[in-house]
Amino acid sequence: MLQTLEHQRVDIALQIVAVQVEAYQEEARLIGFSDIPQLTESKEDIMKSKEVFIGEIIEGKLAGVLSFEKENERLTICRLVVRPQYFRKGIGSRLLTHVFQRYSKCEYIVSTAERNTPAIKLYEAHRFSIIKRTAAADNLVLVTMKRD
C-alpha cells in the first residue's frame, strides 16, 4: 500500500532511516563508494527535511521510500530506496508511477551514481535520460537524469 509518510514523527523517521541504511549499504557495495551521505542521516535529519516522503507498506513493514522536492514545475527525486529483501518486486516503479500520476505536469530530475546500473535501468524504463555527468569524488561519477 502506497502512502504519504509523516516523516516528522519519530517512529516514521526511524523506519525511513532503517530502509535507507539497508538500501544504501547495498548501493555502496555495488558502486564501490561508501561515503553516501544518506548512510549517516539521523532520524532528526529526516524529521526536519522539507522533502515529501512516500512509502510502500507491505505486511505492516516499510518496504520502500521515495522522497522529492517540488519547486514550481520541477520535481527533484531526492531518494528512492527499497529494502534489499524487496528488490525486483516493482516497488521502485510503483513509487515513481505514483509521483508521475500525482504531479503529471512536472519536469522530473534525479541523480544517481553512474555505476548504479539497476537504478539507471529503472529510471530509463520510466523515460529518464542522462543529461549530465559530474565527478563528485574520487572514484565516483554522478549522472543527472531528466524524464523525457
Side-chain angles (χ1 to χ4, degrees):
M1 173 175 77
L2 290 176
Q3 64 185 55
T4 301
L5 301 173
E6 296 178 45
H7 65 281
Q8 299 87 357
R9 289 179 33 194
V10 172
D11 60 326
I12 301 296
L14 285 168
Q15 291 177 55
I16 292 169
V17 168
V19 171
Q20 75 178 25
V21 165
E22 287 183 37
Y24 284 121
Q25 284 175 340
E26 282 297 312
E27 181 177 352
R29 282 192 280 280
L30 176 70
I31 67 173
F33 183 81
S34 60
D35 291 331
I36 298 171
Q38 290 86 349
L39 281 171
T40 60
E41 280 187 321
S42 67
K43 72 179 183 306
E44 291 82 12
D45 295 326
I46 296 295
M47 291 172 69
K48 69 181 180 188
S49 174
K50 301 297 183 205
E51 299 166 24
V52 174
F53 287 78
I54 298 168
E56 176 144 358
I57 311 294
I58 297 177
E59 297 175 356
K61 186 175 185 178
L62 186 59
V65 175
L66 181 150
S67 75
F68 65 88
E69 293 178 336
K70 185 176 178 300
E71 186 175 327
N72 300 319
E73 297 307 312
R74 174 178 266 201
L75 189 145
T76 302
I77 297 168
C78 303
R79 71 192 82 216
L80 175 54
V81 291
V82 175
R83 286 186 190 273
Q85 72 191 78
Y86 296 107
F87 282 178
R88 292 179 257 314
K89 298 194 183 304
I91 293 170
S93 284
R94 285 193 296 278
L95 288 164
L96 284 169
T97 299
H98 177 79
V99 169
F100 299 150
Q101 289 171 348
R102 189 169 171 195
Y103 301 96
S104 61
K105 305 242 187 275
C106 288
E107 170 186 71
Y108 304 94
I109 301 291
V110 68
S111 294
T112 191
E114 185 174 53
R115 289 188 302 246
N116 189 347
T117 306
I120 290 173
K121 286 182 179 179
L122 172 66
Y123 294 125
E124 287 175 339
H126 287 274
R127 300 188 352 248
F128 281 83
S129 299
I130 295 172
I131 58 169
K132 181 171 78 170
R133 286 178 169 74
T134 307
D138 287 342
N139 201 29
L140 178 66
V141 174
L142 295 178
V143 293
T144 301
M145 303 179 78
K146 180 179 171 184
R147 188 168 193 241
D148 298 327

